[in-house]
Amino acid sequence: KAGVTQTPRYLIKTRGQQVTLSCSPISGHRSVSWYQQTPGQGLQFLFEYFSETQRNKGNFPGRFSGRQFSNSRSEMNVSTLELGDSALYLCASSLESLAASNTGELFFGEGSRLTVL
Amino acid sequence: AQSVTQLDSHVSVSEGTPVLLRCNYSSSYSPSLFWYVQHPNKGLQLLLKYTSAATLVKGINGFEAEFKKSETSFHLTKPSAHMSDAAEYFCVVESGANNLFFGTGTRLTVIP
């Protein structure tokens, strides 16, 4: 079956703009979590959505937001972009919420590489 | 509090020699632990996971890891490196608060 699909794969924005990234999970997966990967900070958890509800949120400012639709597809939005937002944004899907037992097996997309100029 | 430390940012081995990628964790309870691999311009792929069953965990591509509670370690090993193993490897600990903590990664270089 198809894997996790992220769009767009690459994009360039300027400071102050906003961006929306999309993630389509594996069919049947209800949890989508988002991560930011940068050379300096490594991989950091942004938030998780499960059944259209945000279940948990990492330590990021309110400019970072997301949502999940009834078909489990998720979007994340970053407003008022800053240079430091340049990163690879990864999403991952799983059958159950990260809170469920024996979880942790995440299926990652290839990421959306955002460059802010 | 949960945290994970990957002791080496970069490991270089010759093809056919053993691989050892080190990971230490901190957790206030029995954690679940994972190793993920990331090839260039790709997402992460699960190599193996420990969830309080057998302490020696076998994963894909010949990798295995041993959970040692007394040493709070979960080192990743492979008997013989292959060129295709060159990638970045992440050790991950799962907290009870619905969250995953990633190590900073170890870049493995395999020399032909």
Side-chain angles (χ1 to χ4, degrees):
Chain A
K1 52 184 173 184
V4 177
T5 304
Q6 290 189 246
T7 57
R9 289 292 314 280
Y10 302 92
L11 67 165
I12 300 173
K13 293 284 187 178
T14 57
R15 280 181 298 175
Q17 287 187 309
Q18 67 93 27
V19 66
T20 299
L21 308 177
S22 178
C23 174
S24 293
I26 290 173
S27 177
H29 285 193
R30 296 190 293 164
S31 167
V32 174
S33 49
W34 288 89
Y35 303 83
Q36 182 194 64
Q37 186 177 28
T38 60
Q41 300 295 322
L43 263 163
Q44 297 184 88
F45 171 77
L46 279 156
F47 31 65
E48 182 208 5
Y49 285 87
F50 181 79
S51 295
E52 302 178 63
T53 302
Q54 187 179 91
R55 287 299 182 94
N56 199 18
K57 185 172 166 56
N59 189 25
F60 279 82
R63 299 186 297 107
F64 291 81
S65 63
R67 59 178 175 168
Q68 187 179 34
F69 303 93
S70 58
N71 62 357
S72 294
R73 188 178 72 85
S74 176
E75 289 181 347
M76 68 162 282
N77 185 78
V78 188
S79 61
T80 320
L81 283 166
E82 300 175 0
L83 295 178
D85 297 332
S86 295
L88 179 67
Y89 290 89
L90 292 165
C91 89
S93 75
S94 59
L95 274 171
E96 296 295 335
S97 166
L98 294 178
S101 61
N102 293 320
T103 175
E105 181 162 4
L106 302 174
F107 295 83
F108 283 82
E110 296 191 336
S112 293
R113 184 166 295 282
L114 169 65
T115 300
V116 182
L117 302 176
Chain B
Q2 280 66 236
S3 69
V4 58
T5 303
Q6 291 185 244
L7 298 161
D8 308 293
S9 59
H10 189 201
V11 169
S12 185
V13 301
S14 297
E15 190 176 17
T17 64
V19 176
L20 170 64
L21 306 182
R22 298 183 294 166
C23 172
N24 285 97
Y25 69 91
S26 170
S27 178
S28 53
Y29 66 106
S30 294
S32 293
L33 296 158
F34 311 84
W35 277 97
Y36 281 85
V37 61
Q38 184 179 31
H39 288 91
N41 299 314
K42 298 290 186 183
L44 279 71
Q45 179 186 17
L46 180 69
L47 273 178
L48 49 81
K49 63 179 177 180
Y50 166 78
T51 54
S52 74
T55 56
L56 182 63
V57 182
K58 293 188 184 300
I60 62 171
N61 301 336
F63 284 95
E64 61 182 41
E66 186 172 6
F67 173 73
K68 291 187 177 180
K69 187 175 180 179
S70 60
E71 299 176 11
T72 60
S73 69
F74 190 58
H75 301 333
L76 181 70
T77 60
K78 182 173 179 177
S80 175
H82 191 272
M83 293 300 295
S84 60
D85 295 328
E88 185 134 21
Y89 293 79
F90 294 92
C91 183
V92 183
V93 61
E94 180 190 27
S95 79
N98 321 336
N99 209 336
L100 295 176
F101 293 88
F102 290 77
T104 50
T106 298
R107 183 167 299 280
L108 176 65
T109 299
V110 182
I111 303 166

